[in-house]
Amino acid sequence: MPNIELWIITVSHEQSIKEIATRLSAEGLTIRDILEEIGCITGSADNVTVERLKKVQGVVDIAPDIQVDIGPPGADSTW
């Protein structure tokens, strides 16, 4: 069974983000959020699907969505 992970997809500003999201969904991405203001789409997919998503017209970059913990205010360390 493939391992499903979360991804951040940066898209071209030269095309409608909603059209790109439709193409990504058709290729197997389960869309979580469409962040029009910053030109990103987040969603989940396995690694095989991600390789297909990289070829979708309008996709600039795909990166894993990782958790970042900066700690509480005033903490000595942030990582």
Side-chain angles (χ1 to χ4, degrees):
M1 181 168 184
N3 187 27
I4 305 295
E5 298 180 44
L6 296 175
W7 301 93
I8 301 172
I9 298 128
T10 306
V11 299
S12 170
H13 67 279
E14 296 172 358
Q15 299 177 37
S16 163
I17 194 168
K18 291 182 181 178
E19 289 176 13
I20 297 170
T22 299
R23 290 194 292 267
L24 290 168
S25 181
E27 288 295 330
L29 179 70
T30 301
I31 294 179
R32 190 174 200 183
D33 288 306
I34 297 175
L35 308 167
E36 285 189 69
E37 296 82 6
I38 60 172
C40 290
I41 298 169
T42 64
S44 57
D46 60 45
N47 288 332
V48 173
T49 301
V50 168
E51 291 306 312
R52 283 197 318 270
L53 299 178
K54 290 177 181 178
K55 299 173 186 170
V56 170
Q57 183 181 5
V59 170
V60 175
D61 185 55
I62 300 180
D65 185 2
I66 58 172
Q67 295 284 47
V68 176
D69 182 7
I70 60 172
D76 290 335
S77 63
T78 58
W79 303 99

